[in-house]
Amino acid sequence: MASKVGRVKSLSRRSFLKFVGGASLVGVTLNLTGCGKPITPDKAIGGNGWMPTQYNAPGNWPTSVRGRVPIDPENPAIVRDDQKCILCGQCIEVCEKIQSVFGNYELPIKKEFVCVNCGQCIQWCPSGAISERDDVNKVFKALADPNVTVVVQTAPATRIGLGEEFGMPVGTNVQGKQVAALRKLGFDVVFDTNFTADLTIMEEGTELVKRVTGELHHPIPQMTSCCPGWVKFVEYFYPELIPNLSSAKSPQQMEGALIKTYFAEKKEVDPKKIFSVAIMPCTAKKFECQRPEMNSASKELNDSKVSPDVDVVLTTRELARMIKRSGIDFASLPEEEYDKLMGTGTGAGVIFGTTGGVMEAAVRSAYYLITGQQPPAALWNLTPVRGMQGVKEAAVNIPGVGDVKVAVISGLANARKVMDQMKAGHAPWAFMEIMACPGGCEYGGGQPRASSPPSDEDRNRRAASLYNIDAKAKLRNSHDNPEIKQIYADFLTAPMSEKAEELLHTHYVSRAEDFIPKKSEENKLY
């Protein structure tokens, strides 16, 4: 018989819990510290919430074992390492209480595990068991191919998050170093998503003006559509409100479509040989780029061999891992500038990275689009829509229109309350900005993880950095961006033109048939 000496089986934290629970050891107490407040007792063991199979019946498990949210093995955005999971329930806490996704559907699931891909569970997971789906190797492979032109875009919030991965204070603006790092990694072209944030304002703002004036027969209020987690939330839980969503794509997807059409045409690059990468603070962007609707370049060029508009999305954390793997001394890098054509952004574009920023940028250009005059300085510091409150309201007086009421919401539990009010007939706003993540993109699921659960202190520091960039910008209105003027003159003709509609706008689909939503009591706006 073979000797058992030296055969050591690794024992994970989860296996240890199972061993202790079955051994009935006297005097042993398990307390998983650092996991925050417990969920309600009825969901700890044998409750109505989803639990791993072995916890579906009452037993002698410690009350600290609270389960976890289900993650589909095919989820394009997030994954879980079971060896690291300590079943502390923090992912349930954020998904149910902060995002109002978990627990708002009946079992069994019909088609797929309900998930808006926001990645807030990553930020709350104390053991690092949940992370983004790692696509770094796909990008390294493209960079190593001499026959491929690799084009990258960077979102507004990445520049005030990336530095934290290299020991810099929270909110440090590393825009120039980030550009330098991307070039050192081998990216052929480095663009700024701020450019298409400005473009989004032109398209979304024009759409809003047409809705308000009655030229476009779509319902009011118009709701932003640049957050893919929020859009999927509407598709799941409020499909009847899909017509209220702006048809404008997110800045990421606008840039992706233009990279393989406008950029390819201008620079005489074969679009079939372009590999488009987006660096985002968001895990839901990984889902968004894979949506079948996001293949506009292929349709525009009538060439099925052109890959999707954005081939790969990397989070801020993934970019940091690429930089570290490549041995790049990030702190010592010089400041470099984005490439031209689609690399110029305004202060309005950069504040897309925080809650209220899209609204503030939109109001500035809506004022211009309606009146033909530059917005007053007061609209460069629209304080009612700033800050970390979950629901904010403001009224902006625009000559010829009067007071335009707007609302800003971040965090999907807050959005649920407001959507329920809309269904009940209370919707006094013309325009609404909604972000899935509390505080907006600057603390998205792909941003650097703090040593403690997300806090408004860190969110405010990151947001303050974005507002500081805006305040110091030479251009603060999206409509003043010279590259925006150029792309309309050379390629798109005008906002919401036929070509703009084909490349920059999209539609959304109901996902309500995928599950049975739970009926909830009417929420009150606060």
Side-chain angles (χ1 to χ4, degrees), residues 41-189:
D42 66 310
K43 292 183 180 178
I45 299 173
N48 296 323
W50 183 91
M51 292 286 157
T53 304
Q54 63 265 41
Y55 304 129
N56 281 343
N60 59 349
W61 295 94
T63 56
S64 294
V65 177
R66 303 173 193 130
R68 59 189 185 177
V69 294
I71 298 177
D72 195 309
E74 301 301 318
N75 192 310
I78 61 175
V79 297
R80 178 166 46 224
D81 183 346
D82 288 342
Q83 294 295 312
K84 293 180 181 179
C85 179
I86 59 176
L87 299 166
C88 67
Q90 283 299 287
C91 52
I92 291 178
E93 189 82 11
V94 66
C95 194
E96 182 177 28
K97 306 298 183 185
I98 307 299
Q99 299 299 69
S100 74
V101 175
F102 178 85
N104 280 286
Y105 48 85
E106 301 286 357
L107 298 178
I109 296 295
K110 289 183 177 181
K111 184 177 179 182
E112 62 182 10
F113 294 161
V114 179
C115 177
V116 297
N117 311 110
C118 69
Q120 284 300 297
C121 52
I122 296 174
Q123 298 287 8
W124 281 57
C125 178
S127 66
I130 307 177
S131 64
E132 65 272 81
R133 184 172 291 279
D134 195 323
D135 292 311
V136 163
N137 287 336
K138 293 179 183 178
V139 179
F140 271 127
K141 182 180 178 181
L143 290 171
D145 189 340
N147 297 314
V148 173
T149 299
V150 187
V151 183
V152 65
Q153 57 170 300
T154 69
T158 62
R159 71 205 67 204
I160 51 88
L162 180 62
E164 295 167 38
E165 291 282 349
F166 299 92
M168 298 178 183
V170 173
T172 301
N173 177 16
V174 294
Q175 175 178 308
K177 292 182 183 296
Q178 179 175 249
V179 173
L182 290 165
R183 290 213 177 94
K184 208 166 183 64
L185 284 167
F187 287 93
D188 297 298
V189 183

Side-chain angles (χ1 to χ4, degrees), residues 43 221 238 318 332 425 464:
K43 292 183 180 178
Y238 297 95
E318 285 174 286
S332 299

Side-chain angles (χ1 to χ4, degrees), residues 8-27:
V8 179
K9 183 178 180 180
S10 63
L11 187 65
S12 69
R13 185 73 180 273
R14 184 179 175 192
S15 300
F16 175 69
L17 289 173
K18 186 174 182 180
F19 164 74
V20 173
S24 299
L25 298 179
V26 178

